[in-house]
């Protein structure tokens, strides 16, 4: 994917507009409870400030009604936190679409929640053209919204004098391209989660590319069902057994495989008090619920990961939030952490598992985009990246 990168440009004295993803969680009092996304946006902002650019940053926050700004939709808490991190005052500018505000070189302002502007979500052309006039250089650094075509993520990139990818967006593009377009083999994908239906297109797309497709959670139960195993009362989608079959067949034809668990951890219920039993897959009874892979299967999966050249991870292989069903995901996380392979991970549950097992420093690249990461894995074109490619091609 060929895009212009911010760090390739001379931004000195230029008006730079950065579309960041600062959509951070807050408590009822409006205090930011987790600021990873703000931290992730700092490299692009700092680069522009250090080079003497006049910097404007905007983001969406929550799901505001277009045309009205409610106090809970304001980026004010973000402006405060951003200022603390940059050790600079960060002014918040409301009603900014028509300009009329000043930004000096070496100064940064935060432009109020872009989704409040009428026409933002529908990628309104007139709005995009107005906003594009505010800058000399447009920077998209919001990979988390790259799968949506909106005025600040897509329209502006068409009309700004120069359009480029920010530091974070550039890193995402490089990491995903490396993992899927030119991977070091064997390429191993781990796809966990409760439902096959929500990951079906990803599974199909990966079946054509990967050497090993490790499935976990409810997805694995549907595959076990497809391979003729009894799964008791486990979470599964019997109506998608045919699809699971088809995916295993695609893999088989290519000499690749979907390794399914030979032993599992079962319980009568999903609760912190549930007693976990480790049993052979053939011993699953009518009322059992499969909540994790068993120790033998976990070792086999860890071996596959240890021999991988590239690892793509999306989703845990068990109910890792409860300690008695966390063994499989923990062993997999440890194998990824110790592997020599290039690893890329994304998705909310995956990030929670990475945090829980404390392996963030040992994963090659952690993607900040949930939906965008999944759509990239599906092989879909992400509008915000596609428009940057068009601009780079001239």
């Amino acid at each position: 994917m060929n895009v212009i990168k911010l760090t390739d440009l001379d931004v000195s004295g230029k008006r730079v507009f950065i579309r960041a993803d600062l959509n951070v969680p807050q408590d009822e009092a409006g205090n930011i409870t987790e600021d990873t996304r703000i931290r992730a946006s700092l490299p692009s902002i700092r680069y522009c400030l250090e080079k003497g650019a006049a910097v404007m940053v905007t983001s969406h926050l929550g799901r505001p009604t277009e045309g009205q700004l409610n106090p809970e939709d304001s980026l004010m808490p973000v402006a405060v936190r951003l200022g603390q991190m940059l050790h600079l005052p960060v002014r918040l500018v409301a009603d900014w679409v028509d300009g009329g505000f000043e930004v000096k070189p070496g100064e940064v302002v935060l432009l109020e929640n872009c989704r409040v502007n009428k026409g933002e979500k529908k990628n309104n052309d007139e709005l995009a053209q107005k906003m594009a006039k505010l800058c000399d250089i447009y920077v998209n650094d919001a990979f988390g919204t790259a799968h949506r075509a909106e005025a600040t993520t897509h329209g502006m990139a068409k009309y700004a004098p120069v359009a480029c990818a920010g530091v974070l967006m550039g890193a995402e593009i490089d990491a995903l391209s490396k993992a899927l377009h030119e991977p070091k083999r064997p390429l191993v994908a781990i796809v966990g989660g409760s439902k096959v239906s929500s990951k079906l297109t990803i599974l199909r797309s990966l079946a054509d590319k990967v050497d090993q497709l490790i499935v976990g959670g409810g997805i694995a139960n549907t595959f076990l069902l497809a391979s003729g195993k009894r799964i008791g009362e486990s979470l599964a989608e019997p109506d998608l057994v045919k699809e699971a079959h088809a995916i295993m067949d695609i893999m088989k034809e290519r000499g690749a495989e979907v390794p399914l668990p030979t032993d599992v951890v079962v319980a009568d219920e999903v609760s912190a008090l549930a007693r976990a039993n480790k049993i052979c897959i053939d011993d699953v009874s009518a009322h059992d619920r499969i909540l994790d892979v068993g120790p033998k299967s976990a070792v086999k999966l860890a071996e596959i990961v240890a021999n991988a050249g590239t690892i793509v991870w999306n989703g845990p292989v068990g109910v890792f939030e409860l300690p008695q069903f966390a063994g499989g995901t923990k062993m997999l996380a440890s194998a990824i952490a110790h592997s020599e392979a290039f690893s890329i991970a994304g998705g909310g549950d995956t990030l929670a598992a990475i945090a829980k097992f404390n392996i963030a420093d040992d994963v090659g690249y952690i993607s900040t985009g949930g939906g965008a990461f999944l759509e990239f894995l599906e092989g879909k074109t992400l509008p915000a990246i596609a428009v940057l490619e068009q601009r780079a091609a001239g």
Side-chain angles (χ1 to χ4, degrees):
M1 279 183 273
N2 192 25
V3 299
I4 298 166
K5 294 193 174 165
L6 171 62
T7 47
D8 295 336
L9 297 173
D10 176 11
V11 299
S12 172
K14 301 271 179 28
R15 292 170 303 154
V16 178
F17 185 109
I18 301 175
R19 170 54 160 104
D21 180 3
L22 308 173
N23 186 26
V24 287
Q26 292 168 288
D27 62 19
E28 283 168 13
N31 301 305
I32 293 168
T33 54
E34 215 280 332
D35 61 13
T36 301
R37 284 180 170 153
I38 302 176
R39 285 181 195 285
S41 68
L42 292 176
S44 287
I45 298 170
R46 284 199 177 114
Y47 176 83
C48 294
L49 288 173
E50 283 162 13
K51 301 284 182 189
V55 187
M56 299 162 268
V57 183
T58 195
S59 171
H60 68 290
L61 183 74
R63 295 181 178 173
T65 306
E66 285 195 357
Q68 64 186 70
L69 179 68
N70 296 319
E72 66 271 20
D73 300 321
S74 174
L75 286 172
M76 182 51 88
V78 176
V80 172
R81 182 64 60 91
L82 192 56
Q84 289 166 347
M85 289 176 177
L86 291 169
H87 306 295
L88 285 173
V90 177
R91 261 188 308 138
L92 182 68
V93 180
D95 303 321
W96 50 269
V97 171
D98 294 312
F101 59 91
E102 196 191 353
V103 198
K104 297 186 181 82
E107 188 185 5
V108 56
V109 297
L110 188 60
L111 308 178
E112 191 56 277
N113 194 334
C114 58
R115 282 210 187 137
V116 171
N117 301 324
K118 281 188 174 166
E120 167 66 18
K121 285 198 82 164
K122 290 210 167 120
N123 198 14
N124 179 280
D125 233 34
E126 196 186 329
L127 174 66
Q129 286 178 41
K130 259 189 197 176
M131 296 191 294
K133 287 193 178 110
L134 297 172
C135 67
D136 303 308
I137 297 169
Y138 163 83
V139 182
N140 192 335
D141 212 23
F143 178 75
T145 62
H147 57 311
R148 298 195 177 102
E150 297 179 351
T152 56
T153 64
H154 183 269
M156 274 188 84
K158 283 196 301 193
Y159 298 115
V162 178
C164 67
V167 176
L168 178 65
M169 176 72 96
E172 291 274 0
I173 291 171
D174 289 347
L176 285 161
S177 300
K178 187 175 166 185
L180 287 180
H181 299 321
E182 49 211 62
K184 190 176 167 207
R185 301 276 174 179
L187 168 58
V188 176
I190 302 153
V191 181
S194 53
K195 291 182 171 177
V196 171
S197 50
S198 61
K199 304 265 177 92
L200 190 57
T201 41
I202 296 163
L203 292 166
R204 273 202 209 117
S205 174
L206 290 173
D208 286 326
K209 299 185 182 93
V210 303
D211 301 299
Q212 301 264 8
L213 178 60
I214 294 172
V215 287
I219 294 175
N221 297 337
T222 303
F223 275 79
L224 283 166
L225 211 51
S227 65
K229 301 294 182 189
R230 292 193 305 272
I231 61 163
E233 292 179 359
S234 306
L235 178 70
E237 292 170 288
D239 53 330
L240 289 176
V241 159
K242 236 167 124 178
E243 299 284 1
H245 255 305
I247 287 161
M248 288 194 280
D249 288 345
I250 292 168
M251 296 283 288
K252 207 177 276 172
E253 276 167 34
R254 293 178 45 242
E257 66 164 325
V258 181
L260 293 174
T262 52
D263 62 334
V264 287
V265 181
V266 298
D268 301 336
E269 58 176 8
V270 185
S271 83
L273 303 173
R275 181 188 155 80
N277 298 303
K278 300 178 177 77
I279 59 170
C280 170
I281 189 66
D282 295 324
D283 297 334
V284 174
S285 69
H287 298 297
D288 280 336
R289 290 179 183 211
I290 300 170
L291 300 174
D292 193 13
V293 296
K296 285 181 192 152
S297 300
V299 167
K300 187 186 172 193
L301 297 183
E303 278 172 10
I304 291 170
V305 165
N307 292 312
T310 306
I311 302 159
V312 177
W313 183 20
N314 175 249
V317 294
V319 186
F320 73 95
E321 296 86 350
L322 301 173
Q324 66 271 50
F325 310 118
T329 305
K330 186 178 184 179
M331 188 171 277
L332 205 56
S334 175
I336 291 167
H338 289 97
S339 168
E340 296 290 306
F342 172 68
S343 53
I344 179 165
D349 286 346
T350 315
L351 301 193
I354 286 169
K356 179 168 183 166
F357 303 122
N358 202 19
I359 62 160
D361 293 343
D362 302 307
V363 177
Y365 191 82
I366 297 173
S367 176
T368 54
F373 178 75
L374 295 182
E375 291 201 12
F376 194 103
L377 293 190
E378 284 174 42
K380 286 186 179 172
T381 300
L382 305 185
I385 295 175
V387 71
L388 293 179
E389 287 185 285
Q390 285 158 15
R391 289 303 304 269

